[in-house]
Amino acid sequence: MSLEVACLSFRQPYATLVLNGVKTIESRWRPLLSELQNCTLAVHIAQKSWEGEDWRLILTERLGMSTVQTEELLESGERFGRGVIAGLVDVGETWCCPEDVPCEEMRDLETAACLSELKLKYLTRLSNPRWLNEPMYSRGHKDVWTVQIPLHLLPSAPSNP
């Protein structure tokens, strides 16, 4: 038995930031995730790392994380390695970020995306991140693709008291 879900590859550290609930907005140049609203998305950790350090400044300057906290977060995200499907996240609404967003609102969006320069990009809300029980090895793909995740890899649902 398995769960069929859409999957998207994220470079590090963004996969880690998504699966640890730090990054709650995904940005792309096209509305790649718009048809997945209210669906679950599998998070694939790409082999390559993201080129750029916007995320580091946002973690330290805006979220107040120390260097030690940042490094511990990054290390936790490498526990499954790369080239694996590592977790799941729920997909919310997608919208195009306008050019005239007020500064404070843009700062909030950039903080949630762990990235700057969001104008005219398509933004998608992400929520309910969860790591799989074990990694599932898979080649990445350029766009969204479909995967079958064995049920024993799925994190157990939280019990209701």
Side-chain angles (χ1 to χ4, degrees), residues 105-161:
E105 186 179 338
M106 181 58 80
R107 183 178 167 86
D108 291 344
L109 291 172
E110 289 174 347
T111 301
C114 296
L115 189 67
S116 58
E117 303 300 324
L118 298 178
K119 292 177 184 174
L120 301 180
K121 285 188 176 182
Y122 287 89
L123 308 180
T124 303
R125 293 248 180 239
L126 303 177
S127 63
N128 191 25
R130 55 243 185 241
W131 289 87
L132 295 179
N133 294 328
E134 300 171 26
M136 184 176 130
Y137 293 92
S138 175
R139 286 186 70 126
H141 295 267
K142 183 179 179 203
D143 290 318
V144 175
W145 74 99
T146 303
V147 295
Q148 299 280 341
I149 300 179
L151 294 181
H152 74 275
L153 296 181
L154 299 177
S156 55
S159 58
N160 292 333

Side-chain angles (χ1 to χ4, degrees), residues 21-41:
V22 177
K23 178 178 170 64
T24 57
I25 291 180
E26 173 59 9
S27 66
R28 299 280 168 151
W29 283 111
R30 50 198 179 92
L32 191 63
L33 299 175
S34 62
E35 292 183 17
L36 296 175
Q37 183 171 346
N38 300 323
C39 294
T40 297
L41 178 71

Side-chain angles (χ1 to χ4, degrees), residues 4 6 22 27 61 66 71-72 77 80 94 96 113 125 135 147 154:
E4 182 176 283
V22 177
S27 66
E61 293 179 8
S66 69
E71 292 310 311
E72 286 174 352
F80 286 168
T94 297
C96 185
R125 293 248 180 239
V147 295
L154 299 177

